[in-house]
Amino acid sequence: MSLLLPGPDGTTRRYEPRAVPLALPPGPPPHSRTVFSAAHVVADPYADAPPDGPAAVDWDATLAFRRHLWSHGLGVAEAMDTAQRGMGLDWPAAAELIRRSAAEAKAVDGRIACGVGTDQLASGGLAEVRAAYEEQLALVEEAGAQPILMASRALAAAARGAEDYLAVYGELLRQASGPVILHWLGPMFDPALDGYWGSPGLDAATETFLDVIAAHPDKVDGIKVSLLDARREVELRRRLPAGVRCYTGDDFHYPELIAGDQQGFSHALLGIFDPLGPLAAEAVRLLDKGDTEAFRAALDPTVELSRHLFEPPTRFYKTGVVFLAWLAGHQSHFTMVGGLQSARSLRHFARAYELADGLGLFPDPGRAESRMRSLLTVYGVPQ
């Protein structure tokens, strides 16, 4: 059966869904690249949770999705911006998410790294920012997960220059019990992070970022760069100390950055690998065999979907990620913490469905079609 989808010009058109999905069975972790998927959270649809209130999470469905990612050989990047940190997921819920996911990772021998931020802090000076980071760092390490030091809105507001970033991050790295991942999240993902590392200019910010790493190379496993600037990421990774990895967070250019060049490559820690998980893992396993051409042939066609989900305002990409998880059958509803399911338009959803269906991402195309039909009906599009 066909669907009547809204188009970009305000009219509707018929779309014939794909009948057969891609065959993407579970598999082992790739060994040529370290690959994390930043994972979304599943809201409790029956909770009486106001948009600005404490987050209500469906823990069973949330952990089931992480088991799905681990089964395909991916690592899980937990409690990151994909999980709506700072956009609906409050610190108490994030702390519980970290504890539960870390325990689940141990049970299934899955790789996990967890976000360390300052989102329990509304505002404060540098001492308060450092204390908030330390609280979260201790929780992640006690849970047995690798820490990811996330960019902090509170630090961006309190810092007066590069020296403040060097001081705060230096102290955190000295305290860390093992190597961490540093995360540079650009303002397109969070406008409150504009001017991070002490300068609105990316060249100066890059130098400060590299100074932090150079001062503590033994405490930095790698860096996650989410600037949507492939040239800058390549230049940055070529300047990293030996043994420090670059994890691409570029949801626009990930195939070329993961494939790499004669001077190196990026590993991956990506929000787009939430909906692309099985396909992405299968593609990277082709790199394990040295077949870069097949890897690009598998992953390049997914970029159009990723660019669509991450279109401006980029920070609302989580809405499309959860929408696709619902269509794929990973959760029984399309509800998000903070009511964020309303952050994208019907046209956006229709195009996301069409692109994902064309890639064969839905394990049960009939179920995806039925759920898309129900959404279209709610929006008043006759079928």
Side-chain angles (χ1 to χ4, degrees):
M1 295 177 65
S2 63
L3 288 173
L4 194 64
L5 298 180
D9 59 356
T11 63
T12 56
R13 58 186 176 77
R14 287 286 168 188
Y15 174 73
E16 191 71 33
R18 179 171 176 156
V20 180
L22 284 180
L24 297 168
H31 59 77
S32 61
R33 307 288 190 275
T34 300
V35 183
F36 288 97
S37 167
H40 74 279
V41 293
V42 182
D44 179 353
Y46 300 113
D48 185 13
D52 58 349
V57 178
D58 180 336
W59 295 113
D60 290 341
T62 293
L63 294 176
F65 185 73
R66 281 129 183 86
R67 290 193 296 272
H68 155 74
L69 294 172
W70 284 317
S71 75
H72 286 275
L74 296 167
V76 168
E78 188 56 278
M80 302 289 290
D81 57 299
T82 304
Q84 296 180 242
R85 289 290 290 272
M87 290 186 70
L89 191 75
D90 54 352
W91 169 237
E96 184 67 13
L97 176 63
I98 290 166
R99 294 188 191 98
R100 288 175 180 255
S101 292
E104 196 73 19
K106 290 178 185 177
V108 302
D109 195 26
R111 183 163 188 168
I112 188 168
C114 298
V116 170
T118 64
D119 44 329
Q120 74 273 48
L121 185 68
S123 63
L126 293 178
E128 289 80 12
V129 169
R130 195 179 81 182
Y133 263 131
E134 289 170 345
E135 177 190 355
Q136 295 199 17
L137 177 62
L139 186 146
V140 169
E141 290 190 331
E142 287 167 6
Q146 182 180 21
I148 303 171
L149 295 186
M150 297 164 54
S152 161
R153 292 175 180 172
L155 179 55
R160 293 294 173 262
E163 63 281 357
D164 288 338
Y165 288 90
L166 292 168
V168 171
Y169 276 90
E171 185 59 34
L172 293 170
L173 290 172
R174 281 188 288 271
Q175 292 182 37
S177 62
V180 310
I181 298 172
L182 297 179
H183 186 190
W184 185 357
L185 190 68
M188 68 289 294
F189 290 94
D190 188 343
L193 299 176
D194 193 25
Y196 211 73
W197 303 113
S199 173
L202 290 180
D203 290 341
T206 297
E207 296 306 317
T208 303
F209 188 45
L210 287 169
D211 286 346
V212 170
I213 299 164
H216 307 275
D218 58 321
K219 288 295 187 73
V220 181
D221 163 68
I223 62 168
K224 170 176 157 54
V225 187
S226 300
L227 299 176
L228 304 183
D229 185 335
R231 177 193 59 80
R232 185 170 295 277
E233 178 175 321
V234 170
E235 292 175 353
L236 180 56
R237 80 184 182 202
R238 289 175 180 171
R239 296 180 62 189
L240 293 174
V244 176
R245 306 183 225 199
C246 180
Y247 293 93
T248 186
D250 189 330
D251 300 278
F252 285 3
H253 308 98
Y254 50 94
E256 65 194 76
L257 290 165
I258 297 170
D261 54 30
Q262 294 82 0
Q263 298 182 56
F265 56 81
S266 295
H267 300 270
L269 198 165
L270 287 160
I272 191 56
F273 281 5
D274 181 301
L276 292 183
L279 191 160
E282 190 68 23
V284 178
R285 281 190 285 268
L286 294 170
L287 284 180
D288 294 348
K289 302 175 183 178
D291 196 340
T292 303
E293 184 176 347
F295 164 79
R296 294 296 300 267
L299 213 55
D300 281 358
T302 68
V303 172
E304 185 177 4
L305 171 63
S306 188
R307 285 178 174 264
H308 176 70
L309 295 181
F310 285 78
E311 69 183 3
T314 301
R315 63 188 181 279
F316 294 121
Y317 76 89
K318 298 96 167 169
T319 300
V321 165
V322 175
F323 169 67
L324 294 182
W326 172 56
L327 295 183
H330 296 300
Q331 55 194 78
S332 62
H333 59 85
F334 180 35
T335 306
M336 298 177 67
V337 297
L340 206 63
Q341 68 271 11
S342 65
R344 293 294 200 188
S345 69
L346 181 62
R347 291 182 190 176
H348 181 90
F349 294 138
R351 184 59 177 157
Y353 164 73
E354 184 177 4
L355 291 170
D357 180 69
L359 291 168
L361 295 183
F362 301 131
D364 184 342
R367 176 175 53 198
E369 177 192 345
S370 175
R371 290 184 171 184
M372 187 67 207
R373 188 182 302 277
S374 69
L375 184 72
L376 290 164
T377 300
V378 167
Y379 274 82
V381 182
Q383 297 298 307

